[in-house]
Coordinates of all heavy atoms in Angstrom, one line a residue:
K840 N 79.8 80.5 61.0 CA 80.9 79.9 61.9 C 81.6 81.1 62.6 O 82.1 81.0 63.7 CB 81.9 79.1 61.1 CG 81.3 77.8 60.6 CD 82.3 77.0 59.9 CE 81.7 75.7 59.4 NZ 82.8 74.8 58.8
K841 N 81.8 82.2 62.0 CA 82.4 83.4 62.5 C 81.6 83.9 63.6 O 82.1 84.4 64.6 CB 82.6 84.6 61.4 CG 83.5 84.2 60.3 CD 83.8 85.4 59.4 CE 84.8 84.9 58.3 NZ 84.9 86.1 57.3
I842 N 80.3 83.9 63.6 CA 79.5 84.5 64.7 C 79.6 83.5 65.9 O 79.8 83.9 67.0 CB 78.0 84.6 64.2 CG1 77.8 85.7 63.2 CG2 77.0 84.9 65.5 CD1 76.5 85.8 62.6
Y843 N 79.5 82.2 65.8 CA 79.8 81.2 66.8 C 81.2 81.4 67.4 O 81.3 81.5 68.6 CB 79.6 79.8 66.3 CG 78.2 79.4 66.1 CD1 77.9 78.7 64.8 CD2 77.2 79.6 66.9 CE1 76.6 78.4 64.6 CE2 75.9 79.4 66.7 CZ 75.5 78.7 65.5 OH 74.3 78.4 65.3
L844 N 82.1 81.6 66.6 CA 83.5 81.8 67.1 C 83.6 83.1 67.8 O 84.3 83.1 69.0 CB 84.6 81.8 65.8 CG 85.9 81.9 66.2 CD1 86.4 80.7 67.1 CD2 86.9 82.0 65.0
L845 N 83.0 84.2 67.4 CA 83.0 85.4 68.1 C 82.3 85.4 69.5 O 82.6 85.8 70.5 CB 82.3 86.5 67.3 CG 82.3 87.9 67.9 CD1 83.7 88.4 68.1 CD2 81.5 88.8 67.1
V846 N 81.2 84.7 69.5 CA 80.4 84.4 70.7 C 81.2 83.6 71.7 O 81.3 83.9 72.9 CB 79.0 83.8 70.5 CG1 78.3 83.2 71.7 CG2 78.2 84.7 69.7
I847 N 81.9 82.5 71.3 CA 82.8 81.7 72.2 C 83.9 82.4 72.7 O 84.2 82.4 73.9 CB 83.2 80.5 71.4 CG1 82.0 79.5 71.1 CG2 84.3 79.8 72.1 CD1 82.3 78.3 70.3
I848 N 84.5 83.4 71.9 CA 85.7 84.1 72.4 C 85.2 85.2 73.5 O 85.9 85.4 74.5 CB 86.4 84.8 71.2 CG1 87.0 83.8 70.2 CG2 87.3 85.9 71.6 CD1 87.6 84.3 69.0
L849 N 84.1 85.8 73.2 CA 83.6 86.8 74.0 C 83.2 86.1 75.4 O 83.3 86.6 76.4 CB 82.3 87.5 73.5 CG 82.6 88.7 72.4 CD1 81.3 89.1 71.9 CD2 83.5 89.6 72.9
L850 N 82.6 84.9 75.3 CA 82.2 84.2 76.6 C 83.5 83.8 77.3 O 83.5 83.9 78.6 CB 81.5 82.9 76.1 CG 80.8 82.1 77.3 CD1 79.8 83.0 78.1 CD2 80.2 80.8 76.7
I851 N 84.6 83.3 76.7 CA 85.7 83.1 77.3 C 86.4 84.2 77.9 O 86.8 84.2 79.1 CB 86.8 82.4 76.4 CG1 86.2 81.0 76.1 CG2 88.1 82.2 76.9 CD1 87.0 80.3 74.9
I852 N 86.4 85.3 77.3 CA 86.8 86.7 77.8 C 86.1 87.0 79.1 O 86.6 87.3 80.1 CB 86.9 87.8 76.8 CG1 88.0 87.4 75.8 CG2 87.1 89.2 77.5 CD1 87.9 88.4 74.6
N853 N 84.7 87.0 79.0 CA 83.9 87.3 80.1 C 84.1 86.4 81.4 O 84.1 86.9 82.5 CB 82.4 87.4 79.8 CG 82.1 88.5 79.0 OD1 82.7 89.6 79.0 ND2 81.1 88.5 78.2
I854 N 84.1 85.2 81.1 CA 84.4 84.3 82.3 C 85.7 84.5 82.9 O 86.0 84.5 84.0 CB 84.3 82.8 81.7 CG1 82.9 82.4 81.4 CG2 84.8 81.8 82.7 CD1 82.6 81.0 80.7
S855 N 86.8 84.7 81.9 CA 88.1 85.0 82.5 C 88.1 86.2 83.5 O 88.8 86.3 84.4 CB 89.1 85.1 81.4 OG 89.2 83.9 80.6
L856 N 87.5 87.3 82.9 CA 87.4 88.6 83.7 C 86.8 88.3 85.1 O 87.2 88.9 86.0 CB 86.8 89.7 82.8 CG 87.7 90.2 81.7 CD1 86.8 91.2 80.9 CD2 88.9 90.8 82.2

Side-chain angles (χ1 to χ4, degrees):
K840 288 182 181 181
K841 289 182 182 181
I842 293 175
Y843 287 132
L844 183 62
L845 181 64
V846 169
I847 290 172
I848 290 173
L849 288 175
L850 187 63
I851 290 171
I852 290 172
N853 283 337
I854 290 171
S855 299
L856 289 174

